[in-house]
Coordinates of all heavy atoms in Angstrom, one line a residue:
M1 N -3.8 -76.8 11.3 CA -5.1 -77.1 10.8 C -6.0 -77.2 12.0 O -5.8 -77.9 12.9 CB -5.0 -78.5 10.1 CG -6.4 -78.9 9.5 SD -6.4 -80.5 8.7 CE -5.1 -80.4 7.6
D2 N -7.0 -76.3 12.0 CA -8.0 -76.3 13.0 C -9.1 -77.4 12.6 O -9.9 -77.1 11.8 CB -8.7 -74.9 13.2 CG -9.6 -74.8 14.3 OD1 -9.7 -75.8 15.1 OD2 -10.4 -73.8 14.4
N3 N -9.0 -78.5 13.2 CA -9.9 -79.6 12.9 C -10.4 -80.3 14.1 O -9.9 -80.1 15.2 CB -9.2 -80.6 11.9 CG -8.0 -81.3 12.6 OD1 -7.3 -80.7 13.4 ND2 -7.8 -82.5 12.3
G4 N -11.4 -81.1 14.0 CA -11.9 -82.0 15.0 C -11.6 -83.5 14.6 O -11.3 -83.7 13.4
A5 N -11.7 -84.4 15.5 CA -11.4 -85.8 15.2 C -12.3 -86.3 14.1 O -11.9 -87.1 13.3 CB -11.5 -86.7 16.4
K6 N -13.6 -85.8 14.1 CA -14.6 -86.3 13.1 C -15.0 -85.2 12.2 O -16.0 -85.3 11.5 CB -15.8 -86.9 13.8 CG -15.4 -88.1 14.7 CD -16.6 -88.6 15.4 CE -16.3 -89.8 16.3 NZ -16.1 -91.1 15.6
E7 N -14.3 -84.1 12.1 CA -14.7 -83.0 11.2 C -13.5 -82.2 10.8 O -12.5 -82.2 11.5 CB -15.7 -82.0 11.9 CG -15.1 -81.4 13.2 CD -16.1 -80.6 13.9 OE1 -17.2 -81.1 14.2 OE2 -15.7 -79.5 14.3
G8 N -13.5 -81.7 9.6 CA -12.4 -80.9 9.1 C -11.2 -81.9 8.8 O -11.2 -83.0 9.2
G9 N -10.2 -81.4 8.1 CA -9.0 -82.2 7.9 C -9.3 -83.4 7.0 O -8.7 -84.5 7.2
T10 N -10.3 -83.3 6.1 CA -10.6 -84.4 5.2 C -9.3 -84.8 4.4 O -8.5 -84.0 4.1 CB -11.7 -84.1 4.2 OG1 -11.3 -83.0 3.4 CG2 -13.0 -83.7 5.0
P11 N -9.2 -86.0 3.9 CA -8.1 -86.4 3.1 C -7.9 -85.5 1.9 O -6.7 -85.2 1.6 CB -8.4 -87.9 2.7 CG -9.2 -88.4 3.8 CD -10.1 -87.2 4.2
A12 N -8.9 -85.1 1.2 CA -8.7 -84.2 0.0 C -8.2 -82.9 0.4 O -7.2 -82.4 -0.2 CB -10.1 -84.0 -0.7
T13 N -8.7 -82.3 1.5 CA -8.1 -81.0 2.0 C -6.7 -81.2 2.4 O -5.8 -80.4 2.2 CB -9.0 -80.5 3.2 OG1 -10.3 -80.4 2.7 CG2 -8.5 -79.2 3.7
W14 N -6.4 -82.2 3.2 CA -5.1 -82.5 3.7 C -4.1 -82.6 2.5 O -3.0 -82.0 2.6 CB -5.1 -83.8 4.5 CG -3.9 -84.0 5.4 CD1 -3.8 -83.6 6.7 CD2 -2.7 -84.6 5.1 NE1 -2.6 -83.9 7.2 CE2 -1.9 -84.5 6.3 CE3 -2.1 -85.1 4.0 CZ2 -0.6 -85.0 6.3 CZ3 -0.8 -85.6 4.0 CH2 -0.1 -85.6 5.2
D15 N -4.5 -83.3 1.4 CA -3.6 -83.4 0.3 C -3.3 -82.1 -0.4 O -2.1 -81.8 -0.7 CB -4.2 -84.3 -0.8 CG -4.2 -85.8 -0.4 OD1 -3.3 -86.2 0.5 OD2 -5.0 -86.6 -0.9
I16 N -4.3 -81.2 -0.5 CA -4.0 -79.9 -1.0 C -3.1 -79.1 -0.2 O -2.1 -78.5 -0.7 CB -5.4 -79.1 -1.2 CG1 -6.2 -79.8 -2.3 CG2 -5.1 -77.6 -1.5 CD1 -7.7 -79.3 -2.3
I17 N -3.3 -79.0 1.1 CA -2.5 -78.3 2.0 C -1.0 -78.8 2.1 O -0.1 -78.1 2.0 CB -3.1 -78.2 3.5 CG1 -4.4 -77.5 3.5 CG2 -2.1 -77.6 4.5 CD1 -5.2 -77.6 4.8
R18 N -0.9 -80.1 2.1 CA 0.4 -80.8 2.2 C 1.3 -80.5 1.0 O 2.5 -80.4 1.1 CB 0.2 -82.3 2.4 CG 1.5 -83.0 2.8 CD 1.9 -82.6 4.2 NE 3.2 -83.1 4.5 CZ 4.1 -82.5 5.3 NH1 3.8 -81.5 5.9 NH2 5.2 -83.1 5.5
K19 N 0.6 -80.2 -0.2 CA 1.4 -80.0 -1.4 C 1.7 -78.5 -1.6 O 2.3 -78.1 -2.6 CB 0.6 -80.5 -2.6 CG 0.5 -82.0 -2.7 CD -0.4 -82.4 -3.8 CE -0.6 -83.9 -3.8 NZ -1.6 -84.4 -4.8
S20 N 1.3 -77.7 -0.6 CA 1.6 -76.2 -0.7 C 3.1 -76.0 -0.8 O 3.9 -76.6 0.0 CB 1.0 -75.5 0.5 OG -0.4 -75.6 0.5
P21 N 3.5 -75.1 -1.7 CA 5.0 -74.9 -1.8 C 5.5 -74.2 -0.5 O 4.9 -73.4 0.1 CB 5.1 -74.0 -3.0 CG 3.7 -73.5 -3.4 CD 2.8 -74.4 -2.7
H22 N 6.7 -74.6 -0.2 CA 7.5 -74.1 1.0 C 6.9 -74.4 2.3 O 7.3 -73.8 3.3 CB 7.6 -72.5 0.8 CG 8.1 -72.1 -0.5 ND1 9.4 -72.4 -0.9 CD2 7.5 -71.5 -1.5 CE1 9.6 -71.9 -2.2 NE2 8.4 -71.4 -2.5
L23 N 5.9 -75.3 2.4 CA 5.3 -75.7 3.7 C 6.4 -76.6 4.4 O 6.8 -77.6 3.9 CB 4.1 -76.5 3.5 CG 3.4 -77.0 4.7 CD1 2.8 -75.9 5.6 CD2 2.3 -78.0 4.4
E24 N 6.8 -76.1 5.6 CA 7.8 -76.8 6.3 C 7.2 -77.9 7.2 O 7.6 -79.0 7.3 CB 8.7 -75.9 7.2 CG 9.8 -76.5 7.9 CD 10.7 -75.5 8.5 OE1 10.9 -74.4 8.0 OE2 11.4 -75.9 9.5
D25 N 6.1 -77.5 8.0 CA 5.4 -78.4 8.9 C 3.9 -78.0 8.8 O 3.6 -76.9 8.5 CB 5.9 -78.2 10.3 CG 7.4 -78.6 10.5 OD1 7.7 -79.7 10.0 OD2 8.1 -77.9 11.1
L26 N 3.1 -79.0 9.2 CA 1.7 -78.8 9.4 C 1.4 -79.2 10.8 O 1.8 -80.3 11.2 CB 0.9 -79.6 8.3 CG -0.6 -79.5 8.4 CD1 -1.1 -78.1 8.1 CD2 -1.2 -80.4 7.3
W27 N 0.7 -78.4 11.5 CA 0.3 -78.7 12.9 C -1.2 -78.9 12.9 O -2.0 -78.2 12.3 CB 0.7 -77.6 13.8 CG 2.1 -77.3 13.9 CD1 2.9 -76.8 13.0 CD2 3.0 -77.7 15.0 NE1 4.2 -76.7 13.4 CE2 4.3 -77.2 14.7 CE3 2.7 -78.2 16.3 CZ2 5.3 -77.4 15.6 CZ3 3.8 -78.4 17.1 CH2 5.1 -78.0 16.8
Q28 N -1.7 -79.9 13.7 CA -3.1 -80.2 13.8 C -3.6 -80.1 15.3 O -2.9 -80.6 16.2 CB -3.4 -81.6 13.3 CG -3.2 -81.8 11.8 CD -3.4 -83.2 11.4 OE1 -2.5 -83.7 10.6 NE2 -4.4 -83.9 11.8
L29 N -4.8 -79.6 15.5 CA -5.4 -79.7 16.8 C -5.8 -81.1 17.2 O -5.7 -81.5 18.3 CB -6.6 -78.7 16.9 CG -6.2 -77.3 17.0 CD1 -7.5 -76.4 17.1 CD2 -5.4 -77.0 18.2
H30 N -6.3 -81.9 16.2 CA -6.8 -83.2 16.4 C -6.4 -84.2 15.3 O -6.3 -83.7 14.2 CB -8.4 -83.3 16.5 CG -8.9 -82.4 17.5 ND1 -9.3 -81.1 17.3 CD2 -9.2 -82.7 18.8 CE1 -9.8 -80.6 18.5 NE2 -9.7 -81.5 19.4
F31 N -6.2 -85.4 15.7 CA -5.9 -86.5 14.7 C -7.2 -86.6 13.9 O -8.3 -86.7 14.5 CB -5.6 -87.8 15.4 CG -5.3 -88.9 14.5 CD1 -4.1 -89.2 14.0 CD2 -6.4 -89.8 14.2 CE1 -3.8 -90.3 13.2 CE2 -6.1 -90.9 13.4 CZ -4.9 -91.1 12.9
S32 N -7.2 -86.7 12.6 CA -8.4 -86.8 11.8 C -8.7 -88.3 11.6 O -7.9 -89.1 11.0 CB -8.2 -86.2 10.4 OG -9.2 -86.6 9.5
E33 N -9.8 -88.8 12.2 CA -10.1 -90.2 12.1 C -10.4 -90.6 10.7 O -10.0 -91.7 10.3 CB -11.4 -90.5 13.0 CG -11.0 -90.4 14.5 CD -12.2 -90.6 15.4 OE1 -13.3 -91.1 14.9 OE2 -12.1 -90.3 16.6
E34 N -11.0 -89.7 9.9 CA -11.3 -90.0 8.5 C -10.0 -90.2 7.7 O -9.9 -91.0 6.8 CB -12.2 -88.9 7.9 CG -12.5 -89.1 6.4 CD -13.2 -88.0 5.8 OE1 -13.6 -87.0 6.5 OE2 -13.5 -88.1 4.6
G35 N -9.0 -89.4 8.1 CA -7.7 -89.4 7.3 C -6.9 -90.6 7.6 O -6.1 -91.0 6.8
G36 N -7.0 -91.1 8.8 CA -6.1 -92.2 9.2 C -4.6 -91.9 9.1 O -4.3 -90.7 8.9
P37 N -3.7 -92.8 9.3 CA -2.3 -92.5 9.4 C -1.8 -91.8 8.1 O -0.8 -91.0 8.2 CB -1.7 -93.9 9.6 CG -2.7 -94.7 10.2 CD -4.0 -94.2 9.6
A38 N -2.3 -92.1 7.0 CA -1.8 -91.5 5.7 C -2.1 -90.1 5.5 O -1.5 -89.4 4.8 CB -2.4 -92.3 4.5
H39 N -3.1 -89.6 6.3 CA -3.5 -88.2 6.1 C -3.5 -87.4 7.4 O -4.5 -86.7 7.7 CB -4.9 -88.1 5.4 CG -4.9 -88.5 4.0 ND1 -5.1 -89.8 3.6 CD2 -4.6 -87.8 2.9 CE1 -5.0 -89.9 2.3 NE2 -4.7 -88.7 1.8
N40 N -2.5 -87.7 8.2 CA -2.3 -86.9 9.4 C -0.8 -86.7 9.6 O 0.0 -87.5 9.0 CB -2.8 -87.7 10.7 CG -4.3 -87.6 10.8 OD1 -4.8 -86.7 11.4 ND2 -5.0 -88.6 10.4
V41 N -0.4 -85.7 10.4 CA 1.0 -85.5 10.6 C 1.5 -86.4 11.7 O 0.8 -87.0 12.4 CB 1.2 -84.0 10.9 CG1 0.8 -83.1 9.8 CG2 0.5 -83.6 12.2
P42 N 2.8 -86.4 11.9 CA 3.4 -87.2 13.1 C 2.8 -86.7 14.4 O 2.5 -85.5 14.5 CB 4.9 -86.9 13.0 CG 5.1 -86.6 11.5 CD 3.9 -85.9 11.1
S43 N 2.7 -87.5 15.4 CA 2.0 -87.2 16.6 C 2.6 -86.0 17.3 O 1.9 -85.3 18.0 CB 1.9 -88.4 17.6 OG 3.2 -88.7 18.0
E44 N 3.9 -85.7 17.2 CA 4.4 -84.5 17.9 C 3.9 -83.2 17.4 O 4.0 -82.2 18.0 CB 6.0 -84.5 17.8 CG 6.6 -84.4 16.4 CD 6.9 -85.7 15.8 OE1 6.4 -86.8 16.2 OE2 7.8 -85.7 14.9
F45 N 3.2 -83.2 16.2 CA 2.6 -82.0 15.6 C 1.1 -82.0 15.8 O 0.4 -81.2 15.3 CB 2.9 -81.9 14.1 CG 4.4 -81.7 13.8 CD1 5.2 -82.8 13.4 CD2 5.0 -80.5 14.0 CE1 6.5 -82.6 13.1 CE2 6.3 -80.3 13.8 CZ 7.1 -81.4 13.3
I46 N 0.6 -82.9 16.7 CA -0.9 -83.0 16.9 C -1.1 -82.7 18.4 O -0.5 -83.4 19.3 CB -1.5 -84.3 16.5 CG1 -1.2 -84.7 15.1 CG2 -2.9 -84.4 16.8 CD1 -1.6 -86.0 14.6
A47 N -2.0 -81.8 18.7 CA -2.3 -81.4 20.1 C -3.1 -82.5 20.8 O -2.9 -82.8 22.0 CB -3.0 -80.1 20.2
N48 N -4.1 -83.1 20.1 CA -5.0 -84.1 20.6 C -4.9 -85.3 19.7 O -5.8 -85.4 18.8 CB -6.4 -83.6 20.8 CG -6.4 -82.4 21.7 OD1 -6.4 -82.6 23.0 ND2 -6.5 -81.2 21.2
P49 N -4.0 -86.2 19.8 CA -3.8 -87.3 18.8 C -4.8 -88.4 18.8 O -5.0 -89.0 17.8 CB -2.4 -87.8 19.2 CG -2.2 -87.5 20.6 CD -2.9 -86.3 20.9
D50 N -5.5 -88.7 19.9 CA -6.4 -89.8 19.9 C -7.4 -89.7 21.0 O -7.2 -89.0 22.0 CB -5.7 -91.2 19.9 CG -4.8 -91.3 21.2 OD1 -4.8 -90.4 22.0 OD2 -4.1 -92.3 21.2
G51 N -8.5 -90.4 20.9 CA -9.6 -90.4 21.9 C -10.3 -89.1 22.0 O -10.2 -88.2 21.1
P52 N -11.0 -88.9 23.1 CA -11.8 -87.6 23.3 C -10.9 -86.4 23.4 O -9.7 -86.5 23.7 CB -12.6 -87.8 24.6 CG -12.0 -89.0 25.2 CD -11.2 -89.8 24.2
D53 N -11.4 -85.3 23.1 CA -10.7 -84.0 23.2 C -10.2 -83.8 24.6 O -10.9 -83.8 25.5 CB -11.6 -82.8 22.7 CG -10.8 -81.5 22.6 OD1 -9.7 -81.4 23.2 OD2 -11.3 -80.7 21.8
A54 N -8.9 -83.7 24.7 CA -8.2 -83.5 26.0 C -8.0 -82.0 26.3 O -7.3 -81.7 27.3 CB -7.0 -84.3 26.1
A55 N -8.5 -81.1 25.4 CA -8.3 -79.7 25.6 C -6.9 -79.2 25.5 O -6.5 -78.1 26.0 CB -9.0 -79.2 26.9
H56 N -6.0 -80.0 24.8 CA -4.7 -79.5 24.5 C -4.8 -78.5 23.4 O -5.7 -78.5 22.6 CB -3.8 -80.7 24.1 CG -3.5 -81.6 25.3 ND1 -2.8 -81.3 26.4 CD2 -3.9 -82.9 25.4 CE1 -2.8 -82.3 27.2 NE2 -3.4 -83.3 26.7
Y57 N -3.8 -77.6 23.3 CA -3.9 -76.5 22.4 C -2.5 -76.3 21.7 O -1.5 -76.8 22.2 CB -4.3 -75.2 23.0 CG -3.4 -74.8 24.1 CD1 -2.3 -74.0 23.9 CD2 -3.7 -75.2 25.5 CE1 -1.5 -73.6 24.9 CE2 -2.8 -74.8 26.5 CZ -1.7 -74.0 26.2 OH -0.9 -73.6 27.3
L58 N -2.5 -75.6 20.6 CA -1.3 -75.1 19.9 C -1.3 -73.6 20.1 O -2.3 -72.9 19.9 CB -1.4 -75.5 18.4 CG -1.5 -76.9 18.1 CD1 -1.7 -77.1 16.6 CD2 -0.2 -77.7 18.5
L59 N -0.1 -73.1 20.5 CA 0.1 -71.7 20.7 C 1.1 -71.2 19.7 O 2.3 -71.7 19.7 CB 0.5 -71.4 22.1 CG 0.8 -69.9 22.5 CD1 -0.4 -69.1 22.4 CD2 1.5 -69.9 23.8
L60 N 0.8 -70.2 18.9 CA 1.7 -69.6 18.0 C 2.1 -68.2 18.5 O 1.3 -67.4 18.9 CB 1.0 -69.4 16.6 CG 2.0 -68.7 15.6 CD1 2.6 -69.7 14.7 CD2 1.2 -67.6 14.8
T61 N 3.4 -68.0 18.6 CA 4.0 -66.7 19.1 C 4.8 -66.2 18.0 O 5.8 -66.8 17.6 CB 4.8 -66.9 20.4 OG1 4.0 -67.6 21.4 CG2 5.3 -65.6 20.9
A62 N 4.4 -65.0 17.4 CA 5.1 -64.4 16.3 C 5.8 -63.2 16.7 O 5.4 -62.4 17.6 CB 4.1 -64.1 15.2
Q63 N 7.0 -62.9 16.0 CA 7.8 -61.7 16.3 C 7.6 -60.8 15.1 O 7.3 -61.2 14.0 CB 9.2 -62.1 16.4 CG 9.5 -63.2 17.5 CD 9.1 -62.7 18.9 OE1 9.3 -61.5 19.2 NE2 8.5 -63.6 19.7
T64 N 7.9 -59.5 15.3 CA 7.7 -58.6 14.2 C 8.7 -58.8 13.1 O 8.4 -58.3 11.9 CB 7.8 -57.1 14.7 OG1 9.1 -57.0 15.4 CG2 6.7 -56.8 15.7
D65 N 9.8 -59.5 13.3 CA 10.8 -59.7 12.2 C 10.5 -60.9 11.4 O 11.2 -61.3 10.5 CB 12.2 -59.8 12.8 CG 12.4 -61.0 13.7 OD1 11.4 -61.8 13.9 OD2 13.5 -61.2 14.3
G66 N 9.3 -61.6 11.7 CA 8.9 -62.8 10.9 C 9.2 -64.1 11.5 O 8.7 -65.1 11.0
Q67 N 10.0 -64.2 12.5 CA 10.2 -65.5 13.2 C 9.0 -65.8 14.1 O 8.3 -64.9 14.5 CB 11.5 -65.5 13.9 CG 11.6 -64.6 15.1 CD 13.0 -64.6 15.8 OE1 13.5 -65.7 16.0 NE2 13.5 -63.5 16.2
F68 N 8.8 -67.1 14.3 CA 7.7 -67.5 15.2 C 8.0 -68.9 15.8 O 8.9 -69.6 15.4 CB 6.4 -67.5 14.5 CG 6.2 -68.5 13.4 CD1 5.7 -69.7 13.6 CD2 6.7 -68.1 12.1 CE1 5.6 -70.6 12.5 CE2 6.5 -69.0 11.0 CZ 6.0 -70.3 11.2
D69 N 7.3 -69.2 16.9 CA 7.4 -70.4 17.6 C 6.0 -71.0 17.7 O 5.0 -70.3 17.8 CB 7.9 -70.2 19.0 CG 9.3 -69.7 19.0 OD1 10.2 -70.5 18.8 OD2 9.5 -68.5 19.2
V70 N 5.9 -72.4 17.6 CA 4.7 -73.1 17.8 C 4.9 -74.0 19.0 O 5.8 -74.7 19.1 CB 4.2 -73.9 16.6 CG1 2.9 -74.7 16.9 CG2 4.1 -73.0 15.4
F71 N 4.0 -73.9 20.0 CA 4.0 -74.7 21.2 C 2.9 -75.6 21.3 O 1.7 -75.2 21.0 CB 3.9 -73.7 22.5 CG 3.8 -74.4 23.8 CD1 4.9 -75.1 24.4 CD2 2.6 -74.4 24.4 CE1 4.7 -75.7 25.6 CE2 2.4 -75.1 25.6 CZ 3.5 -75.7 26.2
N72 N 3.1 -76.9 21.6 CA 2.1 -77.9 21.7 C 2.0 -78.2 23.2 O 2.9 -78.7 23.9 CB 2.6 -79.2 21.0 CG 1.6 -80.3 21.0 OD1 0.7 -80.4 21.9 ND2 1.7 -81.2 20.1
S73 N 0.8 -77.9 23.8 CA 0.6 -78.0 25.2 C 0.6 -79.5 25.7 O 0.8 -79.8 26.8 CB -0.7 -77.3 25.6 OG -1.9 -78.1 25.2
R74 N 0.3 -80.4 24.8 CA 0.3 -81.8 25.1 C 1.7 -82.3 25.4 O 2.0 -83.1 26.4 CB -0.4 -82.7 24.1 CG -0.3 -84.2 24.4 CD -0.9 -85.0 23.3 NE -0.3 -84.9 22.0 CZ 0.8 -85.6 21.6 NH1 1.3 -86.5 22.4 NH2 1.4 -85.4 20.4
T75 N 2.6 -81.9 24.5 CA 4.0 -82.4 24.6 C 4.9 -81.5 25.4 O 6.0 -81.8 25.8 CB 4.6 -82.6 23.2 OG1 4.7 -81.3 22.6 CG2 3.8 -83.6 22.4
N76 N 4.4 -80.3 25.7 CA 5.2 -79.2 26.3 C 6.5 -78.9 25.5 O 7.5 -78.5 26.1 CB 5.6 -79.6 27.8 CG 4.4 -79.4 28.7 OD1 3.6 -78.5 28.6 ND2 4.2 -80.4 29.5
K77 N 6.4 -79.0 24.2 CA 7.5 -78.7 23.4 C 7.2 -77.6 22.4 O 6.0 -77.5 22.0 CB 8.0 -80.0 22.6 CG 8.6 -81.0 23.6 CD 9.2 -82.1 22.9 CE 9.8 -83.1 23.9 NZ 10.5 -84.2 23.4
S78 N 8.2 -76.9 22.0 CA 8.0 -75.8 21.0 C 8.9 -76.1 19.8 O 10.0 -76.7 19.9 CB 8.4 -74.4 21.6 OG 7.5 -74.1 22.6
K79 N 8.6 -75.5 18.7 CA 9.5 -75.5 17.5 C 9.6 -74.1 17.1 O 8.6 -73.3 16.9 CB 8.9 -76.4 16.4 CG 9.9 -76.4 15.2 CD 9.7 -77.5 14.3 CE 10.7 -77.5 13.2 NZ 10.5 -78.4 12.1
H80 N 10.9 -73.7 16.8 CA 11.2 -72.3 16.4 C 11.3 -72.3 14.9 O 11.9 -73.2 14.3 CB 12.5 -71.8 17.0 CG 12.9 -70.5 16.6 ND1 12.2 -69.3 17.0 CD2 13.8 -70.1 15.7 CE1 12.8 -68.3 16.4 NE2 13.8 -68.7 15.6
Y81 N 10.7 -71.3 14.2 CA 10.8 -71.1 12.8 C 11.5 -69.7 12.6 O 10.9 -68.7 13.0 CB 9.5 -71.1 12.1 CG 8.8 -72.5 12.3 CD1 8.0 -72.8 13.4 CD2 9.0 -73.4 11.3 CE1 7.4 -74.0 13.5 CE2 8.4 -74.7 11.4 CZ 7.6 -75.0 12.5 OH 7.1 -76.2 12.6
P82 N 12.7 -69.7 12.0 CA 13.4 -68.4 11.8 C 12.7 -67.6 10.7 O 12.0 -68.1 9.9 CB 14.8 -68.8 11.4 CG 14.7 -70.2 10.9 CD 13.5 -70.8 11.6
A83 N 13.0 -66.3 10.7 CA 12.5 -65.4 9.7 C 13.2 -65.8 8.4 O 14.4 -66.2 8.4 CB 12.7 -64.0 10.0
R84 N 12.5 -65.6 7.3 CA 13.1 -65.9 6.0 C 13.4 -64.7 5.2 O 12.7 -63.7 5.2 CB 12.2 -66.9 5.2 CG 12.2 -68.2 5.8 CD 11.5 -69.2 5.0 NE 11.5 -70.5 5.7 CZ 11.6 -71.6 5.1 NH1 11.6 -71.7 3.8 NH2 11.6 -72.7 5.8

């Protein structure tokens, strides 16, 4: 979700996205202040979880066979998603 701390990622939008079928994870650029804890993902999936924008980013690397990885520059961790 491309959002800012005070824009995008509203609770209503978050609820719609979260209920999408087959959604394994949701990644956010910023913690949504409006959403609070109930309408945000766990911090390991947020590039900028609190305070001012620290310019952390999410990097998606996709392969031609459908597998991909998401890298969080704040945590220096990636998650691999196999092709289905």
Side-chain angles (χ1 to χ4, degrees):
M1 180 183 309
D2 184 12
N3 64 323
K6 296 181 185 280
E7 58 187 48
T10 63
T13 302
W14 199 91
D15 286 338
I16 291 168
I17 294 170
R18 192 71 188 148
K19 291 177 185 174
S20 297
H22 310 292
L23 179 67
E24 186 171 331
D25 294 312
L26 180 61
W27 296 74
Q28 294 175 224
L29 284 178
H30 299 90
F31 180 88
S32 171
E33 292 179 12
E34 179 184 359
H39 290 93
N40 281 278
V41 296
S43 66
E44 64 264 23
F45 295 102
I46 303 175
N48 298 282
D50 55 9
D53 188 335
H56 294 293
Y57 59 88
L58 300 172
L59 176 68
L60 177 100
T61 305
Q63 305 299 320
T64 57
D65 65 359
Q67 64 181 320
F68 64 95
D69 297 281
V70 179
F71 171 76
N72 183 337
S73 71
R74 177 182 62 85
T75 63
N76 286 317
K77 293 187 178 179
S78 294
K79 182 164 182 186
H80 178 74
Y81 296 88
R84 293 190 180 212

